[in-house]
Structure formats: C-alpha cells, structure tokens
Amino acid sequence: MKNRITVLLQIFIATLLFTSNLNAQGPIDGFFSKKGKTSISLSYLSGNYDKFYVGGQEVSPVPAHNEIDQTIYSLHATYAVTDNLTAIANLPYIKKEGNGVADPINGTTEQSDFQDLSIFLKWAPFTKNLENGSMTYIVALGGSVPLGYEPSGILSLGSGAPGIDAKVGLQYKNNNGFFAMVMGGYGHRGKADNNFNLGNGSDFDAPDVVNAVLKLGYAGKHFYLDAFLDSQSSLNGVDIMGPGFAGNFPETIVNYSKLGGTVFVPFTKFIGASIGGATIIDGRNIGKNKYYNVGLTLNL
C-alpha cells in the first residue's frame, strides 16, 4: 500500500486540476432577463496541458502522464424569477485522460463522471440610471454538491467537498452596448471523504477560497463578446510535496490567474451559439491548462 501511495503522489502532481474552475468565469454575470424567461445551454469544452505547477514552480512535461487531456460536457440553465432575480443551475460531466502510465489504484489512465451540481441565486438589489448608461449592483449566493466521484484518485474530477459561495459585484453598461464588470467572492468548502484512509483517517478539510473577475465587453443586438481575467486564491491548505502534504489532495492550495474570452451570436430570438477559450497564465498546484469551448443556447 505504501508503494502505491508513493506512485499516487508522483502521478497526481501531474493531474491536479479542480475542474469547477475551468468553466469560463463561473456562472455569475451582470445581465438579467425579464420575469419568466428560461435559457438552457449545452456546451462542450476541450482542455489540454503538459505543464503544471508544483507549489508555485512550473514543471514540464507532466510526470508519468506526460500530457493531460480533458473534456467537459455541461448543462447550464437559468430562470428569471423576477426581473432582478435569477436562479442558475449547472451540471458538468467530465472526462480526464493521461497519456502515460496507468493509475496504480484502478489500473486505468482515464476517469469520467458527473462532477458537482451547483445552484445559485443572482440578485440585482438596484440599478442606477446614469447619463450615458446604467450601473447594476449584483449579489449572488449559491452552493455546490459533489456527486460521488473519487476525490483522492489520480485523475480526480474535483475536490469532492461541498461548497457555499457568496459574490458581490458591479456592472456598468453604456448606451452603446459596451460594458465593464468587476466581481469578488468568498467560497467556504466543507469536508471531502478520505476514502484511502490517509494520515489519521479523518475526512479532509478543503481550503476556503477568495476569487475575483474583471470582464470587459460588448452586448448588442447582433452579437456579444467579452474578455476576462479570472483569479482564485486559497486561504489555507498545503502545497503538493510541501510541509503537511501526505496524499491529502483535497486539502491542497489551488491558486490561479486565467485570461480568456467569449463570443456569442444569436441566430434568432430563440437560439444562439457561443465560442470561447482561456488559458491559465499563473498558478499554484494546478495544471497550466488551455482550453476552448463551444455552446448552444435555447431561450424559452
């Protein structure tokens, strides 16, 4: 068992990527639909990396796996409860595959399953009309629940811990359609199952996080586009191969800065398509991932 865990430590360094952070900039933006409007989006995301951060040090290629490929299929839905209150749900199905040796625990180089179900309420307590546009104040509260995947496996799909997140932000949009949004948030994470009975056998305490998003873009009748900078910092935790690390992967610090963009084109008032991409430009205990995504949105 000890030899297995040693191999596990070596390979998991290469594959640590909490994929709840991979989906663009998260589920919250500064736009609100009219009461009763529903939208359903189906998206496909493809990511790849052959570099990763052990602590804050970038290393290449990925040990054992050499390179990691990841695919995410997501179902995203919103419902406008009122003109200024929106309910949001998101469910990703994730597949991760290493291009190297097999997982010493389950004998495979691939993991796939549903990840975390997340639900949010987004509220605009008030919107201030200005001379050349408007300012929207945004408050959001939500949570996520892991759906039974193995959090300590080599190709784990996430931390395996439930979470509660609160966010506040501002969005300015001028009368020509250009907008700027800034949002910050705090995420409390619960415990993840210690299925391999590592350390003292207690369940893991996943680190709490703070996050921030800056987004600039244009939202018009014929198309939407944005560019964003998304960041996250853990408030506690351990570094991979650092002091206190003994295979307790859900307790690992995960910091990142991510730069990307999105384009959306409505074909009719009922259907539209999007394309986007992003790359991690700096991080800690995370794969230096780059990805692209495409999606189809139905407005009901």
Side-chain angles (χ1 to χ4, degrees), residues 137-261:
Y137 295 77
I138 310 155
V139 178
L141 180 66
S144 59
V145 178
L147 297 181
Y149 56 87
E150 170 53 63
S152 296
I154 291 173
L155 291 172
S156 175
L157 307 180
S159 70
I164 297 175
D165 289 83
K167 301 175 184 292
V168 294
L170 292 171
Q171 178 167 288
Y172 170 76
K173 184 175 183 289
N174 72 16
N175 294 332
N176 294 321
F178 294 97
F179 71 90
M181 186 197 79
V182 60
M183 182 171 291
Y186 176 87
H188 172 68
R189 301 294 178 258
K191 292 183 179 290
D193 292 338
N194 185 355
N195 295 335
F196 294 140
N197 200 35
L198 299 173
N200 61 11
S202 299
D203 286 347
F204 300 122
D205 292 308
D208 292 351
V209 297
V210 293
N211 49 70
V213 176
L214 173 63
K215 188 188 301 184
L216 303 174
Y218 171 82
K221 180 179 180 180
H222 301 293
F223 68 94
Y224 164 97
L225 62 85
D226 70 40
F228 64 84
L229 176 63
D230 182 13
S231 67
Q232 174 182 289
S233 296
S234 298
L235 297 181
N236 42 41
V238 299
D239 281 321
I240 294 177
M241 296 305 184
F245 181 75
N248 45 332
F249 301 114
E251 295 181 333
T252 305
I253 296 166
V254 179
N255 299 347
Y256 65 83
S257 295
K258 179 170 56 179
L259 188 64

